Amino acid sequence: MMFLDTDILAAAAVCLLLVLVACGVYAFVRVGTVQDALNQLLEEGDFTRDAKARKGAIRAVAAAYWLVVVAIFLFYTFGPYGNGQPEYSWFIWAIAGVIFAAVMVVMKAVQRHHN
């Protein structure tokens, strides 16, 4: 836009927008980092002792889940009946993402019920 010399005002507005977005992202990251550091020190939110103890099981299930999803994707795409073209098996990732959210909700509900 800047090099075509057609509408300098529109190009300057886009540049200003990008600068404002960058300033906003910087502010969110800076404040979020400080807030998380304070939560870790004070053991609040996701950093309580109970939450830290439950994280191990959730991480194990998440790792196993995504390894199984990758295996299904590879088998479906490159297996004996696959066509070797991943652009036809993209839907596996969309379905896996939605199911993963459901699995995590169930895991957290079960853990809360046991405590």
Side-chain angles (χ1 to χ4, degrees), residues 70-87:
V70 169
I72 290 169
F73 172 77
L74 291 175
F75 183 77
Y76 181 80
T77 304
F78 302 108
Y81 302 109
N83 60 4
Q85 297 181 4
E87 65 260 15

Side-chain angles (χ1 to χ4, degrees), residues 30-111:
R30 182 175 168 97
V31 171
T33 302
V34 171
Q35 183 66 38
D36 278 346
L38 290 174
N39 284 342
Q40 283 182 349
L41 289 172
L42 298 173
E43 293 185 348
E44 293 178 347
D46 289 338
F47 302 103
T48 62
R49 292 176 193 239
D50 291 336
K52 286 191 258 182
R54 290 187 299 231
K55 249 184 214 176
I58 290 176
R59 282 185 183 171
V61 168
Y65 177 84
W66 287 112
L67 287 173
V68 168
V69 169
V70 169
I72 290 169
F73 172 77
L74 291 175
F75 183 77
Y76 181 80
T77 304
F78 302 108
Y81 302 109
N83 60 4
Q85 297 181 4
E87 65 260 15
Y88 297 116
S89 53
W90 62 268
F91 65 91
I92 292 173
W93 299 111
I95 294 169
V98 172
I99 293 174
F100 180 73
V103 167
M104 289 297 110
V105 167
V106 169
M107 285 270 308
K108 290 179 182 179
V110 166
Q111 284 183 345

